[in-house]
Amino acid sequence: MRPLYLPIFLTIFSFLTMQAQMDPTAFPRTELRNKEIIMKLYLPDVQKGSYRATRFDWSGIIYSVQYKGHEYFAYWKDTHDPNFHEDLSGPAESYKDPGLGYAEARPGDGFIRIGVGVLKKEAEAQFDGFKTYEIIDHGAWKTDIKKKSIRFTHTVSSALGYGYVYTKTIKLNKKQPGFTIEHTLKNTGTKRIQCDQFNHNFFIIDGEPSGPNLELEFPFALSTDSDLKGLVKFEDKKLVFLQPFVKTSVWMQFKDFESTVENHQFTIRDKRSGGAVEVSVDRPLYRMDFWACQTTQSPENYVWIDVEPGKTFTWNADYMLKAE
């Protein structure tokens, strides 16, 4: 993923107004709930889905999670185009650029983006992850919705020997307040699948814009070569916001941490409202980036996937909701 984003030119007023103007009823959607949590999600749909671009996985797009009067996700922009690469909310997951088979494919041939389908390779010098490619085969989507869980299954194959059955299940937890995202990737092709997968997250806790009321905490001391622009600083294992973000953004890639399961976690906290989310993943942390603009904060955590033909790879992410 390239460290380049379009700045978000929003005032706090326009951001809050934008939330009321969004119309979730315009897209296929569903709702999960238990005694403590209400979760609202968009559903993948080739014709009417809220997200139909080619950068991110179409499944598991959450536009609201409510717990004890707190909100943890929302849409972060004041415009929306289903075919634009970044126009989605919630835990936004994506797989390694350029995708399976891109290097082998000739212009006009197909290559695979996991969670999207088979895309048409263009005559270009290099892959552009921020461009929406023509989808020549969407694969087959199946969705199983229950009161407290939802399962997405995506089946794709290609002429280049790559294929998979990808299952993502989101479950509201029975004991601790929160939810779990379970992933299963079965390699049904003839070629080995090796790629990374990252989650953009796009947190918006209680509508809090990026600024001194927010902080993030990690299990390792923070270090980076990226330019922090005077917007944030590191206090050992914490990332602290120094000032409100106005017409600006920051991106960084962390370094010098061990690739372990113990390091694959973080907490984002709104000190003003007391809302917080603790995230942990049961695979080693392969890479950790962070991006924020005025409206949203995005710890971008990566896993490495390596699965032989006929084999299956699994990983789970737990989101524990806090009302501190």
Side-chain angles (χ1 to χ4, degrees), residues 2 47 86 135 140 144 152 174 198 239 273 290 318 324:
R2 302 182 309 189
Q47 302 296 331
E86 65 181 13
I135 303 175
D144 181 19
F152 306 92
K174 293 181 179 180
F198 83 97
L239 186 153
S273 72
F290 178 77
D318 289 317
E324 301 175 348

Side-chain angles (χ1 to χ4, degrees), residues 280-299:
S280 60
V281 181
D282 65 355
R283 291 283 184 174
L285 178 62
Y286 174 66
R287 171 174 162 174
M288 175 64 82
D289 299 347
F290 178 77
W291 175 76
C293 67
Q294 184 168 334
T295 59
T296 184
Q297 306 79 42
S298 298

Side-chain angles (χ1 to χ4, degrees), residues 46-226:
V46 172
Q47 302 296 331
K48 300 178 181 179
S50 67
Y51 185 77
R52 304 192 292 274
T54 56
R55 181 183 177 196
F56 289 101
D57 175 359
W58 285 17
S59 63
I61 299 173
I62 299 171
Y63 66 91
S64 176
V65 174
Q66 299 169 11
Y67 167 65
K68 287 191 174 180
H70 296 280
E71 174 63 78
Y72 300 87
F73 294 96
Y75 188 66
W76 61 282
K77 299 182 70 176
D78 62 347
T79 60
H80 181 255
D81 178 354
N83 295 302
F84 192 64
H85 73 91
E86 65 181 13
D87 284 15
L88 74 172
S89 60
E93 300 183 304
S94 184
Y95 291 78
K96 184 180 182 179
D97 293 341
L100 306 178
Y102 181 88
E104 303 101 298
R106 299 168 298 180
D109 289 344
F111 66 100
I112 288 179
R113 295 284 294 171
I114 296 176
V116 180
V118 182
L119 280 54
K120 183 178 179 179
K121 184 175 181 177
E122 299 183 4
E124 55 189 358
Q126 62 183 13
F127 176 79
D128 183 355
F130 292 177
K131 178 171 65 178
T132 296
Y133 287 77
E134 178 184 348
I135 303 175
I136 56 180
D137 183 358
H138 291 88
W141 281 104
K142 180 180 178 182
T143 304
D144 181 19
I145 305 171
K146 298 182 179 179
K147 183 178 180 180
K148 301 177 184 179
S149 68
I150 183 168
R151 182 172 67 244
F152 306 92
T153 303
H154 192 216
T155 303
V156 173
S157 61
S158 75
L160 294 175
Y162 292 100
Y164 65 79
V165 176
Y166 172 48
T167 303
K168 179 188 293 185
T169 304
I170 301 178
K171 298 179 178 178
L172 301 184
N173 296 341
K174 293 181 179 180
K175 296 181 180 180
Q176 295 179 307
F179 60 94
T180 299
I181 306 177
E182 300 175 351
H183 309 77
T184 299
L185 182 67
K186 181 177 181 180
N187 186 345
T188 60
T190 60
K191 294 182 179 179
R192 183 180 184 180
I193 294 176
Q194 288 183 301
C195 64
D196 59 30
Q197 185 256 20
F198 83 97
N199 193 332
H200 209 301
N201 281 300
F202 288 125
F203 288 108
I204 302 177
I205 300 179
D206 294 325
E208 186 69 46
S210 296
N213 288 331
L214 295 170
E215 67 177 16
L216 286 94
E217 188 169 3
F218 299 83
F220 51 86
L222 303 182
S223 176
T224 187
D225 292 328
S226 304

